[in-house]
Amino acid sequence: MKPKLRAIWDAGVAAADPAGAVTRALPDLEFGAPAHLSVVAVGKAAPRMIAPVLEAVTPKQALIVTHRENVFDDLGVPVMRAGHPVPDPEGEAAANAILEMAEGLGRDDHLVILISGGASAMLPAPAKGLTLDDKVRVTKALLASGAPIEVMNLVRQQLSRIKGGGLAIAADPARVTALVLSDVIGDDLRAVASGPTLAPLGTPEDAVQALRGYFCYGKVSQEVRNHLREAPKKRDVPETDTRIIGSNDVSVATMKEQAPEAKVLTPPLTEDVKDAVERLAKLPSGLWLIGGECTVQVKGKGMGGRNQELALRLAMKAEEEGWPAGWTYIQGGTDGRDGPTDAAGAVVNGQTLKKMRAAGVDPAAALKNNDSYHALKAAGDLLMTGATGTNVADLGVLYRP
């Protein structure tokens, strides 16, 4: 079943091709005079999103901001590489460059921003009185807590000069158009990349409650707590044209076209991996298509990602419940990178744990240490795709005979 499931999964990733999504959106996009056009592409899919635009028009200025591991041909415009998922000085420099570009625009100008997953971490622009280290501490605390992306971005918006509509404010009175490749389940545009062109998800008080709810309030700096206490409760954001051009739902629908006999899991997986496994274990036999993006609480010192841990946990659940031979599960991130690893996820079946133990690895101990990567590597069951150039959250395919 591995080749068949991989073909279905690959079709879902291909549906999120950034260049194709932007190309389909171009006929409805009026750029205006090239002398007044500025184009910025930010995120894991930035190079492939900007390429069709550069073929269609020559802007007066353009910039690509993406992660360091991204590999692509020279497009003839400046490239800045930023840290992900933890912000770094290069990302702060990129955010400042974009804000400076936006602030220099006038009423006759048009700013087109192409947004994809990872852009939030890649553009740290600390609010007045805060530092990059403050942002890093917040990000690390939320990542370790297992907070979903909506919660992370709700908090980050309140600590930034670019998120939560900050870019739109900086560009005012210029016209602003944003094309979004959504990596957020449910496609709330305010949450994708922390919504640089839209009003924030909540208020400073909401951010405080979120930090408390995920036991992070005591882990952030006093400067962050002071800022959230003193920040204005409302932010007036100019109107922008912000639209989705690709998403997790589109990719799942494409997988369904590839496998019409399959069933789609609804709602998508967005819970903690432990709860997600319980849901998957209750599914009846057949072929299942899975979208979403789980969370994982990091308590150990090992290496892994949410997709790898989810796959390993399901393998253990299948063994515990005595699933019949032949079951197979592929689970991976559409960007090709699951957590701080070089794997997209994993492809597991009834042989996975046997191979793992034969290699001297205790799967239960590996999970306790959040070390799913090395355990799956020992079994030879990592899903290795390399960087895909896109990101619409995670996809999975499960077959139960």
Side-chain angles (χ1 to χ4, degrees), residues 1 55 100 115 140 178 208 257 276 284 324 340 342 360 362 389 400:
M1 290 300 296
E55 289 178 5
E100 183 177 349
I115 299 171
K140 287 183 175 180
V208 170
E257 294 174 4
D342 58 357
D362 179 356
R400 291 191 62 177

Side-chain angles (χ1 to χ4, degrees), residues 40-43 63-66 80 82-84 86-88 90-99 113-116 118-126 132 135 156 159-163 167 193-194 196:
V40 174
V42 186
L63 177 65
I64 297 171
V65 181
T66 191
M80 301 183 75
H84 180 276
V86 178
D88 65 7
E90 288 79 5
E92 184 176 21
N96 288 335
I98 292 174
L99 286 170
I113 179 166
L114 311 168
I115 299 171
S116 56
S120 189
M122 293 178 204
L123 294 181
L132 179 62
K135 299 291 292 287
R156 293 193 284 197
L159 308 175
S160 172
R161 292 179 291 117
I162 202 168
K163 300 173 174 61
L167 180 59
S194 295

